[in-house]
Amino acid sequence: MPAPEHWPSVYRDRPEIFAAFARAEDPQGRIVARLAELANLEGTTALELGCGTGRYTTELAQRCARYLATDPSPALLELAKRDGAAPWLLRTRAERLPLKDHCVDRVLATWVLAYLRPGDRAAALAEAARVLRPGGSMWLVENHWDGEFQELRDRAGYGAEPGVKALIEAGGFRVAARIESELRFDSNEEAAAILGALCGETVAEKLRRAPRRSFGHEVVILQRAAGP
Ligand SMILES: C[S@@+](CC[C@H](N)C(=O)[O-])C[C@H]1O[C@@H](n2cnc3c(N)ncnc32)[C@H](O)[C@@H]1O
């Protein structure tokens, strides 16, 4: 059983910690480049769910004709605003979107859908299907179930990522790509502080015993067509 993690309380009370984690992710920029390429964003109207600090918002928005980035966390949206994403932001949960039916071509979300409670995930997927135009599509970035970051957190194995498993087996998503990404912090101390705060004391203790600042992080891009 993986040790408890603290992501939601960090979003609320220590958003800078999550911002530092987001900055460490994928120094080569592989994830956003591949997502934009596969989702074929040029000229589309796109909706981003759970944009957090907006780490991908500006880059994705610039490829689209129209873009809206949403998140329920005031603290994370404040950081997104500070980093230049203000023109695209709206505070809302993915389960209740204040949008008309069939008004977007793409729904995008990075590390959001797998971590919602099952009922909220189902509601968010139904909302995404409602707002997508026929012929549109939904694209997610989620953790792959293998790799050094998963091992560090004791979450390696398909069954240890139940949300990702549910999206693939019951949510109708296919794996469109697997990407070998990296988490790279500026120092061992920063890695221990940020990952300890997010992933809990077991991870902090592992990093005290064997300090390091770089971790392989495998991710998947999941895709499903418009429709319930
Ligand atoms: C792991 S973070 C990912 C943030 C961002 N997509 C990124 O890649 O950095 C999860 C995000 O989901 C947001 N979130 C939590 N519950 C949500 C919900 N019910 N609807 C939409 N977003 C939600 C959080 O506020 C947080 O920004």
Side-chain angles (χ1 to χ4, degrees):
M1 183 75 177
E5 300 200 351
H6 310 298
W7 301 75
S9 62
V10 171
Y11 304 150
R12 191 183 58 238
D13 302 327
R14 302 170 76 195
E16 294 286 357
I17 294 276
F18 179 68
F21 174 84
R23 280 194 299 275
E25 174 78 60
D26 194 25
Q28 300 85 3
R30 290 188 189 130
I31 296 172
V32 69
R34 194 88 167 95
L35 175 63
E37 173 200 19
L38 285 170
N40 195 14
L41 297 177
E42 308 306 322
T44 63
T45 297
L47 167 69
E48 182 182 356
L49 304 174
C51 67
T53 60
R55 65 166 127 165
Y56 296 133
T57 298
T58 301
E59 186 163 349
L60 293 171
Q62 283 167 351
R63 296 169 187 260
C64 299
R66 299 178 69 199
Y67 199 84
L68 179 66
T70 62
D71 199 281
S73 163
L76 295 181
L77 286 173
E78 206 45 54
L79 295 183
K81 224 181 264 178
R82 195 185 70 186
D83 285 356
W88 300 289
L89 302 177
L90 178 72
R91 182 178 164 199
T92 186
R93 300 173 65 87
E95 307 90 292
R96 282 187 304 280
L97 297 170
L99 299 178
K100 288 188 278 193
D101 294 357
H102 311 310
C103 64
V104 304
D105 305 300
R106 302 285 184 274
V107 174
L108 312 172
T110 60
W111 294 283
V112 179
L113 270 294
Y115 305 103
L116 297 180
R117 287 176 302 209
D120 292 345
R121 185 184 311 128
L125 290 175
E127 272 296 78
R130 181 183 68 75
V131 301
L132 272 168
R133 294 188 179 120
S137 52
M138 191 166 183
W139 296 84
L140 312 179
V141 172
E142 300 289 356
N143 289 328
H144 191 277
W145 41 95
D146 282 333
E148 286 181 334
F149 181 53
Q150 295 299 93
E151 282 164 26
L152 177 76
R153 305 159 75 199
D154 297 326
R155 290 177 73 123
Y158 190 48
E161 280 287 359
V164 179
K165 188 169 184 267
L167 288 164
I168 294 169
E169 293 185 358
F173 284 85
R174 70 179 179 98
V175 178
R178 172 177 172 164
I179 303 170
E180 289 186 22
S181 175
E182 182 191 358
L183 279 163
R184 194 197 300 155
F185 295 89
D186 287 343
S187 64
N188 294 346
E189 292 71 27
E190 188 194 25
I194 303 299
L195 295 180
L198 286 163
C199 302
E201 185 49 33
T202 311
V203 168
E205 176 55 28
K206 282 187 191 178
L207 293 176
R208 278 194 290 272
R209 276 190 273 113
R212 51 197 289 221
R213 70 181 187 101
S214 168
F215 309 84
H217 188 193
E218 302 242 336
V219 306
V220 282
I221 296 182
L222 304 181
Q223 184 265 345
R224 110 176 180 184

